Amino acid sequence: MTDPLLSVESLRTTFHTDQEVVRAVDGASFSVAPTETLGIVGESGSGKSVTARSVLGLVEEPGRVHPDSSIRYHDPAFVQRTARAHPDATFWGGDVDNEPDDAFVTVHEGEQSGENAVVKRGSVDLVSAPDAVVQQVRGSEIAMVSQDALSSLNPVYTVGNQIEELLGIHRGLSGREATETAEELLRNVGIPDPERRLREYPHQFSGGMQQRAVIALALACDPSVLVCDEPTTALDVTIQAQVLDLLARLKREQDLSVVFITHDIGVIAQVADSVAVMYAGEVVERAPVERLFDVPKHPYTRGLLRSIPGVATTGDRLPTIEGSVPTPSEAATSCRFAPRCPEAFDACHEVHPDAVRVAGEEEPAERDAPPAENGTQSRENGKPPAADAAPGLPTANGEHTAACLLYPATLSTGERVERHDGDDRSNRAPPSRTDASGAAGSGVSE
Amino acid sequence: MSRVRYFGRRILLSIPVLVLGGTFTFLVFRFSPVDPAAAIVGTAATEEGVAEYNRVRAELGLSQPVLDHYWAYMLDLFTLNLGQSWVVSQGTPVTDLLNTYGLRTLWLTFWAVLIPIFVGIPLGVYAGLHANTKVDYAVSVFGIVWRAMPNFWLAIILLAVLSQSKSILGFDWSGFIVDTALIGTPDLTNLTTVDGFLEATKRILPPAIVLGSASMGSELRIARTAVLETINADYVENAKANGVPDRRVVWKHVLRNALVPLVPTVTNEAFLLIGGSVIVEVVFGIHGIGWLFFQAALNADMPLVTALVFVFIVVVVGINILQDVLYALIDPRVGYDAR
Amino acid sequence: MAGHTHSTDDRTRDEQPHARDDRPLRSRVAETPRPAAIWLLGAAALLAVELGDIAGAVRSLGGMAVGAVAFSYSGTLSVAGSGGTVGLLALVGVVLGFFVGGLAIATWTRIRVLHRVTDRFSYRTRQLLDGVVLGAAVALATWLGVTIGAVDVLVAAGGVVRSLLGVVADLPTLTARETIPNRGYQTPDGTWHGTFMSLAPAYAWAVRVVVVYGYVAAVLAWTWMGYLWYRAHYRRVDWTPRDDVVRRLRSHRWGQFGMVVTFLFLTLAIFAPSLATTTAQQNLYEPFSHSITHYDANTDSVRETLVGSANLQTQSEGYASANFGPMSYDQYDRFHPAGTLTNGKDLWTFLAYGARVSLVIGLLSIGVSAILATVFSLFSAYYRGLVDLVLVVVGDTIMGVPRLLMLILLTVILSDTWIAGLYNGGILLALILAGTGWPFLWRSFRGPTLQIAEEEWVDAARSYGQSATGIMRLHMLPYLVGYLLIYSSLILGGVILAVAGLSFLGFGITAPTPEWGRAVNLGREYVASASWHISLIPGVMITLVVMGFNAMGDALRDAVDPKSDDGNAATTEADARGGGA
């Protein structure tokens, strides 16, 4: 089991406005493995876009990423560079939980030799890292493709100008070389006659071409992870298919990891390797894509899948989920989906569910696993944890989790409630780096 | 439609405006309750007086039938044969007057346009970049007050302050750097020498500040709003996400886009300066075109007044076209039908 | 009223069905009569206190209206009858006026019944004929009325109404200056005679000021309460888009500054006779026809002096021994909150009545502009083609001439005509301002009214059961009204600047009608002397009022449409700045 490339744990992003506090992302955890496509799916208001922006450190006043969140980037080369540049902030312990407060680089495997440190496995926490470090991640390691392509492009500069700007920053190219590389990039994303197009302005491109241009911009940075925030939502179906194909090809050619954010679960089926379903700022289900579509566990996911036109086989009305996504302003003390959930029972309104492993019903019941760390998945029954798995990291490989009081289905209702509740209470985050305004996951309403 | 056609259409539409403007001045000249000839000749009821009156009337074309007069008048206007002044400076061709007086107004408006651009816009940009801080509030209030202050009032206050500069400000303005008087027309004949240039500039600065005061407030506000809007734009976020350093984001992406709404603002302000220059010139005793117009109106020198009005209309039309040109240069989206 | 939820959350508002009560207003009121009763009582009390003033105001306005009708009738007759080119032009003007008026009415009627016209293209010329016919009908009616002597009947009827109102107008009112007089004299023993409760004039005046502002504030507050109560108890639906506008206005701090300044200014203008220290008639217009009593220390007796002579003794001329600054008494025991002018007249009275002049000119010019703009936009939208093009060219030309210059030019040309005599040039100014200001308004109205005339749009409206007029009323009108409000507040500031600038130059309002700009001009020489107040105070007031109106306009714009992309921003700038004054 290899390290993921990007791992997000208990991400909390809140917006403090004059009228209210909005907890746009409230304890989301997921990870992306190298060359994997993670699909994040959810309705409007579920916190998907804020998640993307939090990862890139683009959340500004009045928004804040809670310092207890962790967003870790595991690319060894990058970690190595950072470790060399910030030796004082590097922790050579290997156990993320024991990382001292002022360290944002953790090395699991490597040699500590000051300026010539070698890192084979480690991570950088982007939440606690200074802005200068995050700046280095932006573009070169993680690049973004946004939804509205036309407004993502600066209208007063030519497309070529904008691509070459990024080439200059990230690859150090300029002049003739930059122009040629830019042409190559445009050709690679399927824009014909790139020489002419480089000299044109964004509004002269068609919708599909604009989206391709934005992808080209992202690729100009030579990233390892591509975060795509609803890149095809504004396109019509045929163009959408082309762009998705393009993305798949590019991913193959350049060994990219992709985080694909969308509300269209049909698109997810097409592009994702694994899926995280978000609701009201939380990840309610995580699974490999086939498992998700095969045996969706969380009632919300089931509702989403039922509402795909074409999937519904009975009746003349498309099944919908009544109501709309709430905008949470307080810490969760119950299941946020409960008001809309067809399968909710009493405890759902009182106990906040954690993400628990869901096996298929036919698998043998799992006996009690040791209490999960920090509200993440428990380990598979009977199998020792993979020897080299970094402890405490949410792993992506093949695990299917859901945050619902219906699971683990093998326990009785009472046991389940206790399981979620107890975990909740015993899972107060260690009082590290907490500020006076309340610890994470305390379950105390404000 | 292509940009060339867009310009062509604009220029084409200006022609009826000029014609209408000229017609209006003709109507004023011919049909106003003020008799142009009477104003020139006076009201002597003697025989020579009456003969003189008729002679002047004939020369002014007033005795011609309306349509003939109209035709001749419009022809003259469009060939820039603007006649002469009859009362204010009798016998001087209008074009000569324009040259002498126009230069002074040009010098005044030049600085009145420049100062707001170089003071107001940077202040506004700074305020926009640091929105909702104390500095921002201070700058915004400054802009609002400056914009609301009446030109004429600011002019006399400034004059009073500068005339008492020793006691109020602590230094003597008149003798500062070069010796200048406070009131009166600056000497523009020696602009090429350092001394001449300094003197002319120093003399024009107070009236230019007054004339440009409202512009400064306006441009400050618009610059601030423009920066605020651009800073929150998607492409700025996208650039940041793709790793463009903050400094360059501001200088390259934000400012260039914030410039777009500023261009029409600056040109509109320039257009407003024409009216405002009358007051400033009168208060500061600068004998420029505005002052000339004021004198002509006071003395009912109708030929001069109507000629000047037409000149102003031409200038305004020119500024409008210039505005379109600049705007098209700044914003590549202009002229393209998005649909 | 039960069953509605107050949702302050914009997002969820659209999802909840609005509580809607379709009973007629009467039954809704009958259900909870108390708030209505209380409010009506309070309103009656406030009204009663000022009844005399209100009646008086109605009386004089009505008198002016009747007088205007009679005057314009006789005026046009005489001008048209005087023959020559001018007479002919006047006649042509009158006929054109009737045609345009008739056309406007016909167009309006046509648009209202638009939904019944399916193929209107073939009707175009017929509609132009509509205007001719209607105009002719109006002209005929007028002529008939004139020959029968209807104008005289109108004048007579007006007279009767006026005398009736006159009785009511003589009732004592709370805010009148007579209730709290501040004019008196002081005997050597220190007592004041003739002032309110024997207070010193300064305090008496202060009391009256407080009473006046307090009254206006009470009226505003009571009206606001009434609106809130209406919203809570009697309104048919529990939320309309206007509620959002109001909510945004309430939290807009800059706008609140604007509202406060506007409130202060409007009260000053409307209640000028009460807020000034003396009356305009007495001090400004006919100082030699009024006299004051004062205690003369020289002769140790109470004397009467002509106000004019007194003024001559109280001139502020720049040096300490001949200066009456702010908040001072003169030797006649008159109190001058803002000092005196160079001709001895009280500056504060000058400013208070000057506010009135500015307000009247501003409102008049905006009103006329609005009418012109609406009529022209109707034409533009309905007939399009050539009519629209002509209007565009004319509008552009008018917008093209620098406003201040136009003002100067036209004021000079028309200075000897009878119009210039009205209000000492005020009416003329208002008309010129309206004539140069309508293109801006028209440009903004043109868009939405063009939409009305779109046939597809009307079809779409009909397809879901909404009539064209219904949509016009529900959506267009609020937008137009909103824009009119915003425009008016910005323009009022600009008008004040323009008129002040003009008066400063000596062109605008002539003596003795007060105007702030003229005060600035009067004090021009003395700014650096002891009489700095003459120029400084009016200037500061102008700045504050303009700032206030701009703030109001901004707040209204933000409230009505926070995301408004004002395409006319640059042109309204020009208007808001008075053309460069």
Side-chain angles (χ1 to χ4, degrees):
Chain A
M1 198 154 54
T2 51
D3 282 345
L5 190 51
L6 177 70
S7 63
V8 173
E9 197 186 327
S10 301
L11 175 62
R12 287 235 317 267
T13 309
T14 48
F15 288 83
H16 297 262
T17 62
D18 288 333
Q19 283 107 359
E20 56 193 347
V21 173
V22 177
R23 295 165 84 114
V25 185
D26 203 6
S29 306
F30 56 86
S31 62
V32 189
T35 72
E36 177 195 39
T37 301
L38 169 72
I40 301 185
V41 66
E43 292 173 78
S44 314
S46 52
K48 325 186 290 287
S49 290
V50 179
T51 306
R53 274 150 187 84
S54 307
V55 166
L56 278 167
L58 293 174
V59 174
E60 286 174 11
E61 286 300 318
R64 276 189 342 136
V65 175
H66 198 279
D68 282 349
S69 326
S70 93
I71 302 176
R72 297 188 160 271
Y73 185 61
H74 298 254
D75 179 63
F78 179 75
V79 179
Q80 179 169 298
R81 275 203 308 276
T82 317
R84 286 188 184 179
H86 303 263
D88 299 331
T90 310
F91 176 63
W92 295 83
D95 186 352
V96 172
D97 293 332
N98 293 337
E99 190 182 75
D101 282 357
D102 52 358
F104 53 85
V105 186
T106 310
V107 183
H108 304 299
E109 226 179 274
E111 282 157 36
Q112 179 176 12
S113 32
E115 277 173 17
N116 300 322
V118 173
V119 174
K120 293 213 194 101
R121 281 177 51 224
S123 65
V124 176
D125 183 10
L126 297 178
V127 174
S128 45
D131 200 53
V133 174
V134 181
Q135 178 73 7
Q136 289 175 344
V137 168
R138 292 192 198 121
S140 332
E141 309 289 332
I142 308 179
M144 194 160 91
V145 173
S146 292
Q147 169 176 349
D148 190 351
L150 179 56
S151 54
S152 302
L153 296 164
N154 194 325
V156 298
Y157 293 111
T158 60
V159 174
N161 180 307
Q162 300 181 50
I163 298 184
E164 288 170 35
E165 174 187 28
L166 292 174
L167 287 176
I169 295 174
H170 295 284
R171 302 201 212 177
L173 299 176
S174 61
R176 186 75 218 137
E177 219 188 332
T179 314
E180 281 170 4
T181 318
E183 277 174 32
E184 188 55 45
L185 276 169
L186 282 187
R187 202 171 294 122
N188 210 12
V189 295
I191 295 180
D193 196 6
E195 285 163 36
R196 188 174 66 113
R197 291 298 181 181
L198 277 186
R199 290 194 293 273
E200 285 184 351
Y201 290 92
H203 62 272
Q204 296 173 264
F205 282 30
S206 74
M209 278 206 303
Q210 283 164 0
Q211 193 59 270
R212 292 169 194 269
V214 172
I215 296 176
L217 272 182
L219 292 179
C221 315
D222 199 13
S224 310
V225 180
L226 200 61
V227 175
C228 301
D229 188 4
E230 310 245 25
T232 54
T233 307
L235 305 171
D236 45 326
V237 181
T238 39
I239 313 280
Q240 179 173 313
Q242 291 172 9
V243 172
L244 290 178
D245 283 341
L246 170 67
L247 281 173
R249 174 168 65 81
L250 290 170
K251 179 188 145 187
R252 271 195 322 267
E253 286 173 7
Q254 305 195 15
D255 285 334
L256 294 171
S257 302
V258 178
V259 177
F260 198 101
I261 302 176
T262 178
H263 64 270
D264 187 344
I265 202 161
V267 169
I268 287 287
Q270 203 177 328
V271 298
D273 296 323
S274 73
V275 185
V277 180
M278 278 192 78
Y279 184 81
E282 299 171 317
V283 175
V284 296
E285 188 162 1
R286 280 272 282 128
V289 65
E290 302 91 9
R291 281 287 296 260
L292 193 84
F293 280 80
D294 232 0
V295 278
K297 296 295 184 187
H298 197 283
Y300 178 62
T301 319
R302 294 210 190 121
L304 280 183
L305 288 170
R306 267 202 303 268
S307 66
I308 301 178
V311 165
T313 49
T314 58
D316 46 2
R317 290 190 83 100
L318 199 60
T320 52
I321 313 175
E322 291 287 314
S324 61
V325 183
T327 308
S329 50
E330 298 168 353
T333 51
S334 63
C335 174
R336 287 193 170 136
F337 185 60
R340 299 167 79 188
C341 182
E343 301 178 43
F345 53 93
D346 286 337
C348 294
H349 299 275
E350 287 152 28
V351 178
H352 179 244
D354 296 321
V356 293
R357 188 111 201 290
V358 285
E361 257 71 304
E362 63 277 13
E363 288 187 20
E366 48 179 62
R367 267 309 112 201
D368 201 47
E373 293 101 50
N374 292 356
T376 56
Q377 305 83 329
S378 54
R379 297 194 204 103
E380 206 171 349
N381 181 35
K383 286 195 195 166
D388 51 344
L393 280 182
T395 58
N397 304 344
E399 297 220 321
H400 187 166
T401 66
C404 181
L405 288 180
L406 294 173
Y407 303 99
T410 48
L411 300 177
S412 74
T413 310
E415 288 174 317
R416 266 182 271 136
V417 172
E418 206 189 289
R419 162 74 185 282
H420 287 272
D421 204 10
D423 281 346
D424 213 16
R425 272 201 291 269
S426 68
N427 274 338
R428 307 261 154 94
S432 63
R433 311 188 220 126
T434 42
D435 45 356
S437 58
S442 59
V444 174
S445 58
E446 270 129 59
Chain B
M1 92 179 73
S2 79
R3 283 154 90 138
V4 178
R5 273 187 65 190
Y6 176 76
F7 281 135
R9 212 177 102 113
R10 286 291 289 145
I11 297 186
L12 216 63
L13 268 180
S14 314
I15 297 185
V17 172
L18 286 175
V19 169
L20 209 70
T23 313
F24 168 74
T25 59
F26 170 74
L27 287 173
V28 163
F29 184 70
R30 176 94 188 197
F31 292 112
S32 78
V34 175
D35 187 346
I40 295 169
V41 173
T43 49
T46 60
E47 243 187 63
E48 303 101 44
V50 171
E52 179 74 13
Y53 179 76
N54 286 327
R55 189 184 68 80
V56 169
R57 270 187 74 92
E59 244 193 86
L60 288 177
L62 289 170
S63 48
Q64 287 176 302
V66 177
L67 279 180
D68 287 344
H69 188 194
Y70 180 65
W71 195 238
Y73 185 88
M74 293 298 275
L75 222 59
D76 278 345
L77 274 187
F78 276 86
T79 52
L80 289 181
N81 176 10
L82 296 167
Q84 55 177 1
S85 158
W86 283 82
V87 180
V88 172
S89 174
Q90 185 151 50
T92 330
V94 171
T95 31
D96 281 355
L97 289 173
L98 279 178
N99 274 332
T100 354
Y101 289 84
L103 196 61
R104 298 165 192 156
T105 307
L106 227 64
W107 185 238
L108 172 65
T109 38
F110 170 72
W111 284 101
V113 166
L114 221 62
I115 295 179
I117 292 182
F118 284 102
V119 175
I121 295 186
L123 274 178
V125 167
Y126 185 78
L129 288 174
H130 301 85
N132 294 327
T133 57
K134 286 211 183 71
V135 180
D136 177 31
Y137 286 139
V139 168
S140 298
V141 168
F142 172 75
I144 290 172
V145 170
W146 215 239
R147 179 166 159 244
M149 273 201 288
N151 269 357
F152 56 89
W153 185 68
L154 185 59
I156 56 181
I157 301 282
L158 197 60
L159 258 185
V161 165
L162 287 181
S163 64
Q164 307 276 341
S165 60
K166 237 316 161 31
S167 42
I168 301 183
L169 294 174
F171 69 95
D172 181 24
W173 172 260
S174 300
F176 187 59
I177 302 181
V178 280
D179 261 332
T180 51
L182 264 186
I183 301 189
T185 318
D187 181 10
L188 294 179
T189 49
N190 296 330
L191 276 183
T192 42
T193 67
V194 171
D195 255 355
F197 183 80
L198 272 178
E199 196 206 331
T201 309
K202 187 185 151 207
R203 281 187 80 167
I204 208 72
L205 270 186
I209 291 179
V210 170
L211 189 55
S213 64
S215 300
M216 180 144 72
S218 242
E219 286 169 23
L220 195 154
R221 210 172 77 114
I222 305 256
R224 178 180 178 274
T225 318
V227 166
L228 276 178
E229 278 177 6
T230 359
I231 271 203
N232 290 322
D234 280 345
Y235 52 82
V236 168
E237 186 187 55
N238 204 280
K240 281 182 75 172
N242 284 335
V244 180
D246 279 346
R247 199 110 188 270
R248 188 186 300 210
V249 167
V250 167
W251 279 98
K252 179 175 169 184
H253 292 269
V254 171
L255 282 183
R256 180 70 173 64
N257 275 279
L259 216 60
V260 170
L262 275 175
V263 166
T265 311
V266 171
T267 39
N268 265 298
E269 295 296 332
F271 160 65
L272 278 168
L273 292 181
I274 298 180
S277 70
V278 175
I279 292 185
V280 170
E281 285 179 15
V282 164
V283 174
F284 280 91
I286 300 176
H287 293 191
I289 298 235
W291 181 88
L292 186 67
F293 181 81
F294 176 69
Q295 293 295 327
L298 261 180
N299 293 301
D301 187 347
M302 296 314 289
L304 183 57
V305 165
T306 47
L308 282 179
V309 169
F310 186 70
V311 167
F312 285 130
I313 296 181
V314 169
V315 169
V316 164
V317 167
I319 294 183
N320 273 329
I321 295 185
L322 181 70
Q323 170 183 324
D324 282 338
V325 169
L326 282 178
Y327 199 80
L329 281 178
I330 294 278
D331 188 350
R333 291 170 284 188
V334 162
Y336 286 95
D337 241 335
R339 269 156 289 137
Chain C
M1 192 163 98
H4 63 252
T5 46
H6 279 299
S7 173
T8 52
D9 187 5
D10 263 13
R11 271 170 279 110
T12 52
R13 199 193 299 289
D14 292 323
E15 295 148 16
Q16 296 164 7
H18 298 313
R20 193 193 162 89
D21 190 347
D22 280 314
R23 295 172 292 169
L25 182 62
R26 233 166 318 199
S27 50
R28 276 179 272 145
V29 172
E31 192 182 327
T32 18
R34 240 177 57 129
I38 299 179
W39 189 83
L40 281 171
L41 266 173
L46 285 170
L47 217 67
V49 154
E50 279 295 301
L51 200 58
D53 259 357
I54 295 176
V58 169
R59 185 162 164 255
S60 46
L61 276 175
M64 278 200 287
V66 169
V69 167
F71 179 77
S72 51
Y73 158 66
S74 59
T76 6
L77 266 190
S78 62
V79 165
S82 61
T85 22
V86 183
L88 193 63
L89 273 177
L91 208 61
V92 169
V94 169
V95 172
L96 254 179
F98 278 132
F99 173 68
V100 169
L103 193 61
I105 299 177
T107 318
W108 177 255
T109 336
R110 278 287 168 194
I111 285 186
R112 280 179 68 86
V113 298
L114 178 61
H115 63 276
R116 279 199 250 134
V117 177
T118 44
D119 48 331
R120 59 182 172 82
F121 290 109
S122 62
Y123 282 24
R124 272 225 180 132
T125 32
R126 219 182 288 184
Q127 283 147 9
L128 280 172
L129 284 176
D130 272 345
V132 175
V133 168
L134 207 58
V138 172
L140 193 65
T142 320
W143 180 78
L144 273 176
V146 160
T147 44
I148 297 179
V151 176
D152 300 320
V153 171
L154 181 65
V155 174
V160 169
V161 174
R162 287 193 67 200
S163 42
L164 280 177
L165 282 175
V167 172
V168 185
D170 285 335
L171 291 173
T173 55
L174 177 66
T175 58
R177 59 179 318 109
E178 294 80 26
T179 324
I180 309 179
N182 72 320
R183 172 77 210 116
Y185 59 90
Q186 184 180 41
T187 44
D189 58 359
T191 50
W192 288 93
H193 302 261
T195 61
F196 180 68
M197 299 207 319
S198 294
L199 286 171
Y203 298 122
W205 172 77
V207 168
R208 197 167 71 232
V209 168
V210 167
V211 165
V212 170
Y213 274 103
Y215 174 73
V216 178
V219 167
L220 287 175
W222 196 247
T223 319
W224 177 246
M225 293 297 307
Y227 170 70
L228 285 178
W229 284 347
Y230 171 72
R231 215 165 95 169
H233 299 286
Y234 303 127
R235 196 167 59 179
R236 189 173 293 182
V237 292
D238 67 335
W239 177 79
T240 65
R242 266 182 296 283
D243 290 352
D244 276 348
V245 173
V246 169
R247 182 175 51 97
R248 274 180 238 141
L249 273 175
R250 280 172 98 163
S251 55
H252 198 292
R253 248 183 308 246
W254 181 234
Q256 280 164 359
F257 164 76
M259 282 191 261
V260 167
V261 170
T262 312
F263 157 72
L264 291 173
F265 173 73
L266 287 179
T267 313
L268 184 64
I270 297 177
F271 285 89
S274 301
L275 287 172
T277 39
T278 106
T279 62
Q281 289 301 113
Q282 204 192 66
N283 197 287
L284 304 174
Y285 291 116
E286 296 161 2
F288 286 98
S289 311
H290 293 81
S291 57
I292 49 173
T293 32
H294 69 106
Y295 178 80
D296 190 349
N298 295 342
T299 61
D300 200 24
S301 62
V302 174
R303 278 182 47 190
E304 271 205 21
T305 326
L306 285 177
V307 175
S309 327
N311 282 350
L312 283 174
Q313 303 297 317
T314 53
Q315 292 169 333
S316 289
E317 281 167 341
Y319 40 97
S321 55
N323 181 46
F324 294 87
M327 297 288 179
S328 65
Y329 286 92
D330 62 13
Q331 61 262 45
Y332 296 94
D333 291 336
R334 297 185 295 184
F335 177 62
H336 300 287
T340 57
L341 287 167
T342 48
N343 50 19
K345 299 187 181 173
D346 178 40
L347 183 57
W348 176 250
T349 311
F350 192 87
L351 291 176
Y353 281 88
R356 215 177 227 205
V357 171
S358 305
L359 184 66
V360 165
I361 296 180
L363 289 179
L364 193 59
S365 75
I366 290 177
V368 174
S369 280
I371 295 177
L372 286 176
T374 317
V375 166
F376 288 147
S377 65
L378 279 178
F379 286 172
S380 197
Y382 200 68
Y383 297 106
R384 298 202 243 176
L386 187 63
V387 173
D388 188 39
L389 194 62
V390 165
L391 281 172
V392 166
V393 170
V394 171
D396 272 357
T397 320
I398 294 182
M399 283 200 283
V401 180
R403 209 171 190 203
L404 203 65
L405 299 184
M406 275 293 268
L407 284 174
I408 297 178
L409 181 67
L410 290 174
T411 323
V412 162
I413 296 177
L414 299 171
S415 55
D416 279 338
T417 61
W418 54 271
I419 308 184
L422 294 174
Y423 219 9
N424 273 135
I427 303 290
L428 177 66
L429 267 183
L431 288 179
I432 298 177
L433 284 168
T436 48
W438 67 261
F440 301 101
L441 251 191
W442 165 73
R443 268 295 174 93
S444 337
F445 284 179
R446 192 161 156 256
T449 39
L450 269 173
Q451 279 182 30
I452 303 177
E454 283 286 310
E455 219 172 86
E456 284 174 22
W457 177 90
V458 172
D459 278 347
R462 271 196 295 149
S463 75
Y464 60 85
Q466 178 67 280
S467 72
T469 49
I471 293 203
M472 253 168 52
R473 208 171 21 94
L474 272 176
H475 296 283
M476 293 301 175
L477 217 57
Y479 169 84
L480 290 178
V481 167
Y483 191 78
L484 190 65
L485 274 178
I486 298 171
Y487 177 82
S488 306
S489 41
L490 289 175
I491 293 312
L492 260 177
V495 164
I496 293 179
L497 271 179
V499 172
L502 220 57
S503 309
F504 174 82
L505 286 176
F507 283 119
I509 313 281
T510 49
T513 305
E515 214 288 317
W516 292 0
R518 226 175 66 243
V520 176
N521 190 25
L522 284 173
R524 208 165 129 184
E525 326 268 313
Y526 304 105
V527 185
S529 69
S531 298
W532 51 266
H533 59 278
I534 307 181
S535 278
L536 212 79
I537 298 185
V540 168
M541 281 177 75
I542 296 178
T543 312
L544 277 177
V545 166
V546 172
M547 263 170 64
F549 278 122
N550 286 342
M552 269 281 279
D554 282 349
L556 278 173
R557 191 178 11 211
D558 284 346
V560 167
D561 187 1
K563 290 200 212 127
S564 70
D565 182 14
D566 200 350
N568 279 328
T571 47
T572 31
E573 251 322 283
D575 251 8
R577 293 253 302 286

